[in-house]
Amino acid sequence: MTDVLDPPVVVEHHDEHHEDHGPTGILKWITSTDHKVIGLSYTITSVIMMVIGGLFAEIIRAQLTTPNNSLVSLAQYNELFTMHGSVMIYLFIGPFAFGALANIIVPIQIGAPDMAFPRLNALSYWLYLTGSITMLSGFFVAGGAANFGWVAYAPLSNSINTPGAGADLWIGGLLLTGFSAIFTGVNLTATIFYLRAPGMTMFRMPIFTWNLLITAILILLAFPVLTAGLIMLYCDRHFGTHIFSVAGGGVPVLWQHIFWFWGHPEVYILALPIFGMVTEIIAVFSRKPVFGYKGMVFATITIGALSLGVWAHHMFTTGVVLLPFFSIMSLLIAVPTGIKMFNWIGTMWRGEVWFSTAMLMAIGFLITFLIGGITGIYLASPPLDFFTHDTYFVVAHFHSIVMALMMGAMGALYYWGPKITGYLLNETIGKIQFWLLFIGTQVFTLPMYVLGLRGMPRRIAIYPLHHSWQYLNDWASIGALMIGLSTVAFLVNIAYSWKKYPAGDNPWDGHTLEWFTTSPPPHHNFYRLPQIRSERPTWDYNHPGHTAAEHGHSAAHRDETPVEAPTS
Amino acid sequence: MALLPLGALVLAGCGIPTVGNSPGATTVSKSVYNLWQGFTLGALIVGGITIALIVWAVFAYRRKGDNIPKQSQYHIPLETTYTIIPILIVLGLFVATMVVENKEEALPKTNVTIDVNAFQWGWKFLYPGHDVVVVGQTTQEPTMVMPINENVHFNLTSSDVIHGFYVHDFNFSRYAQPGVLNQFTIRATKLGTYDGQCTQLCGLYHSLMVFRVKVVTKAQYAAWLHTNYNPVAATAAFAALKQQTSSITPTKIDESEGNN
């Protein structure tokens, strides 16, 4: 059999003169419309948000280590968990999932020179940054930051129950980041539909790109609803409308419908891009094509479609929703998600699994996501939801999910980071980070499931001495500390590995087009492109004779001459 | 496979770890617990198999050299199998869910009614027809008294923001919302005092919004009603509650008049 070939030699012709007489330094960065620069800005900003949100989490966990603790006041605690949730969901994992790596990788994966609307892309980033600063600035106004939970249920979020500018800054910040998301959704959809390289048919798109397409469509369906809801909420607070207030003939529960009509698709808006990242990582580090590629695509489409019809499973205990409908719809999401899980396992099956940090993170994702997914099935059953709703069981469930996403995100940084920066991260520190993160996550979430079953409600700052909740909370706090240390390890790794290990074009023997170009890629991404005859053009180019066996029979040997990039 | 969760209900109590969960103190809480056991049995089987497959794939196929494995991508019979089996499992879980849910949502004929009114940050329990009202907030938590082996009809409302009426030993919670009248029936089967707490974030003192539920014998209940007879306080409380709820249409049709 053929040995692994060296990555193709890149023809050196720096035709980037048009870049040379533009602005330089920070002005160049600020005015850049290059999707890679914007994507890197997104990455750095969202990782900073992760650190901020993580610090809030550590304070929350410290407060809960002993009963009747007074580390923070009740008011401060409400602000902390509101901003922890808001920062993590709105400012970290969302923008990371569809803003950071999507921006950098999707155009390269489909052989495009940039996003379809580069200036709109820049606007997205600046809206995201200003929105983030706006929301966080709530801590510096009288009355403090928003304190009504990240879901802002009416009527707690009205101007009587939550006066003060912190809440308004929260609404304003969320509106700005919401528009940022909508514009990114428009941009990704247009890019994926119109800028694919010759030969890159829909069913030759890498799974990551597929997932971002479905995500972008979900963004376009869900985020405008949130934006509308936020404007209604603002009007209720300041302009005397009564959309969510009983006194004026309004309906408080309408806010929950609007919020979760966005909020449940949002879960998949966060998750689908990470699913895509994990899919790529598992395939590359198993040296196999994605098992059941087409099934994977249809599963993603099914998840996206079902996610629009399950919002009221967050509202089972309101007593005003049709329980059987939302129960069966929510349970059904387990089916396409299960298909994905088995496809991931199938991809590793009979492969050559390489335990790089990125792959370990992906395996950690599989196990953690499985735990979160299975406990999610409990919550889709109304009678089981009734007694776990708003307890730590729910908190544990979605922290299993988001910590799995966090592992996927970290894996993606180890996997694609070298492509963006040109340098690898240290694998030893990476593995320390992985084990801290993986074990920390289980030590953190598993006791919280038990706490929920023992009746500890969420969002309480203090609990009485007579309950047996303390040692479980202590374990959860130890887990949270380990997760915090894993983040420290990550930051240490960036500092330690700074420009130390040159990556080369294709350090992982990657499958997709981004591994065909240089690290970092040139201004318009490609000097030349390989022939695109499957979803793995770079692999096909590097390993002729090892193309995927389609439906049982081997593909014929193909002409693998590189062609000039149509775009530059 | 679809019968698996139903079979699990039959097997209820056979060594499934409870991790802090219990059959509780009401008829419904026991059904919910059995349902929980069924789900847990299914979760342990499916989760166990899946984790075993992941661990096997990771260790059995770890990289041993620079070989390129067979580039297989599709196996339609296998893919179909792991599409159909989850659908059957999910349908089984749904059927089991519906059985318990219909029991829980039923509003049978009752002799005892308690109006529960949540407010920032406490609880008001009103006993219509008996001129009894119990009020308590934050550090002075109220105790709701209810008779054993009697269907008790609850009318749950809120006078300000959304609160969560949650009693751990009832395996049950429901939102108390402004503008919504939530109704449910609970039949307690065990004497005792149980902790209740607001589960939905309701502002500054959310952490302190606790109450107790005391399940007593019918004779004790009658005596308790007699001792706490207070027409002045009760009339005022009922008037206030009526003012809040006058414009509400119940979310469910009360079947106590018709079906039962």
Side-chain angles (χ1 to χ4, degrees), chain A residues 4 74-75 78 81 147-149 153-156 161 246 252-253 256 285-294 317-320 323-324 327-328 331-332 335 339 341-343 345 348-355 363 366 370 374 377-378 381-384 386-387 389-391 450 452-455 457-462 466-467 535-536 539 543 546-549, chain B residues 18-21 32 35-36 39-41 43 46-47 50-51 53-59 61-76 78-79 82-83 86-87 90-91 93-94 97-98 100-101 104-105 120 160-162 166 168 171-175 177-180 182 195 197-208 212 247 251-252:
Chain A
V4 183
L74 296 181
N78 286 358
F81 69 70
N147 58 7
F148 39 49
Y153 273 9
L156 182 63
N161 290 304
V246 177
V253 84
Q256 293 181 44
F285 291 104
S286 303
R287 309 193 91 185
K288 278 183 63 197
V290 175
F291 183 73
Y293 168 87
K294 283 183 186 166
T317 63
T318 57
V320 293
L323 300 176
S327 173
I328 187 70
L331 284 168
L332 278 175
V335 176
I339 292 173
M341 181 60 75
F342 290 119
N343 281 346
I345 297 170
M348 294 191 289
W349 208 258
R350 304 215 169 118
E352 290 277 327
V353 179
W354 172 8
F355 295 135
I363 297 165
L366 292 185
L370 179 70
I374 282 183
I377 293 176
Y378 286 74
S381 169
L384 299 179
F386 290 162
F387 91 91
H389 184 82
D390 273 335
T391 70
V450 184
L453 293 173
R454 290 191 179 179
R458 67 193 288 197
R459 294 171 176 150
I460 57 169
I462 51 175
H466 69 266
H467 280 298
E535 81 278 9
R536 299 193 299 166
W539 171 275
H543 304 284
H546 285 99
T547 48
Chain B
T18 61
V19 287
N21 193 11
V32 172
L35 183 68
W36 186 87
F39 269 62
T40 303
L41 187 67
V46 174
T50 313
I51 285 199
L53 286 172
I54 293 172
V55 171
W56 173 262
V58 166
F59 287 104
Y61 305 116
R62 67 189 179 277
R63 183 164 293 189
K64 293 168 193 103
D66 216 7
N67 299 324
I68 293 180
K70 186 164 175 274
Q71 301 294 300
S72 52
Q73 189 164 24
Y74 292 98
H75 193 296
I76 303 298
L78 184 65
E79 290 175 62
Y82 63 60
T83 307
I87 291 177
V90 157
L91 290 178
L93 294 176
F94 181 65
T97 292
M98 288 311 297
V100 179
E101 186 183 301
E104 196 161 20
E105 292 291 295
Q120 284 175 320
D160 37 54
V161 300
I162 300 171
Y166 169 67
H168 177 237
N171 288 350
F172 180 80
S173 76
R174 187 59 50 96
Y175 280 178
Q177 296 159 105
V180 175
N182 260 325
D195 289 338
Q197 187 161 0
C198 174
T199 46
Q200 179 58 40
L201 175 67
C202 55
L204 187 59
Y205 294 107
H206 166 58
S207 314
L208 301 173
R212 305 241 183 281
S247 59
T251 54
K252 252 188 272 180

Side-chain angles (χ1 to χ4, degrees), chain A residues 261-336:
Chain A
F261 187 82
W262 162 81
H264 205 80
E266 165 73 357
V267 174
Y268 294 96
I269 288 168
L270 309 177
L272 291 179
I274 310 267
F275 289 176
M277 296 171 196
V278 168
T279 310
E280 303 282 313
I281 292 169
I282 290 179
V284 165
F285 291 104
S286 303
R287 309 193 91 185
K288 278 183 63 197
V290 175
F291 183 73
Y293 168 87
K294 283 183 186 166
M296 203 75 148
V297 171
F298 290 127
T300 308
I301 294 172
T302 312
I303 290 177
L306 284 173
S307 78
L308 289 161
V310 298
W311 75 91
H313 70 208
H314 298 268
M315 302 163 58
F316 282 155
T317 63
T318 57
V320 293
V321 297
L322 186 61
L323 300 176
F325 174 79
F326 289 103
S327 173
I328 187 70
M329 290 292 277
S330 309
L331 284 168
L332 278 175
I333 285 201
V335 176

Side-chain angles (χ1 to χ4, degrees), chain B residues 231-242:
Chain B
V232 181
T235 310
F238 276 108
L241 183 64
K242 195 168 182 202

Side-chain angles (χ1 to χ4, degrees), chain B residues 58-253:
Chain B
V58 166
F59 287 104
Y61 305 116
R62 67 189 179 277
R63 183 164 293 189
K64 293 168 193 103
D66 216 7
N67 299 324
I68 293 180
K70 186 164 175 274
Q71 301 294 300
S72 52
Q73 189 164 24
Y74 292 98
H75 193 296
I76 303 298
L78 184 65
E79 290 175 62
T80 314
T81 309
Y82 63 60
T83 307
I84 290 172
I85 290 178
I87 291 177
L88 295 178
I89 294 176
V90 157
L91 290 178
L93 294 176
F94 181 65
V95 170
T97 292
M98 288 311 297
V99 170
V100 179
E101 186 183 301
N102 289 337
K103 202 168 165 182
E104 196 161 20
E105 292 291 295
L107 289 173
K109 194 169 173 58
T110 54
N111 301 320
V112 182
T113 300
I114 303 177
D115 294 342
V116 181
N117 184 242
F119 58 94
Q120 284 175 320
W121 289 270
W123 302 88
K124 218 181 273 181
F125 301 103
L126 300 90
Y127 293 76
H130 298 286
D131 280 341
V132 171
V133 60
V134 180
V135 188
Q137 52 186 314
T138 56
T139 46
Q140 288 93 40
E141 73 258 21
T143 300
M144 177 182 90
V145 176
M146 62 186 282
I148 191 170
N149 293 330
E150 186 92 58
N151 291 332
V152 180
H153 180 92
F154 286 89
N155 294 313
L156 180 63
T157 53
S158 163
S159 49
D160 37 54
V161 300
I162 300 171
H163 301 274
F165 174 87
Y166 169 67
V167 182
H168 177 237
D169 286 281
F170 290 0
N171 288 350
F172 180 80
S173 76
R174 187 59 50 96
Y175 280 178
Q177 296 159 105
V180 175
L181 173 63
N182 260 325
Q183 304 179 70
F184 49 88
T185 305
I186 287 176
R187 186 183 180 90
T189 52
K190 256 169 73 181
L191 295 172
T193 306
Y194 307 104
D195 289 338
Q197 187 161 0
C198 174
T199 46
Q200 179 58 40
L201 175 67
C202 55
L204 187 59
Y205 294 107
H206 166 58
S207 314
L208 301 173
M209 201 170 143
V210 296
F211 61 96
R212 305 241 183 281
V213 177
K214 196 171 174 188
V215 177
V216 297
T217 62
K218 280 169 201 169
Q220 284 169 327
Y221 178 66
W224 180 83
L225 283 178
H226 185 72
T227 323
N228 288 274
Y229 177 72
N230 186 346
V232 181
T235 310
F238 276 108
L241 183 64
K242 195 168 182 202
Q243 202 190 354
Q244 277 173 36
T245 54
S246 56
S247 59
I248 300 175
T249 24
T251 54
K252 252 188 272 180
I253 295 147

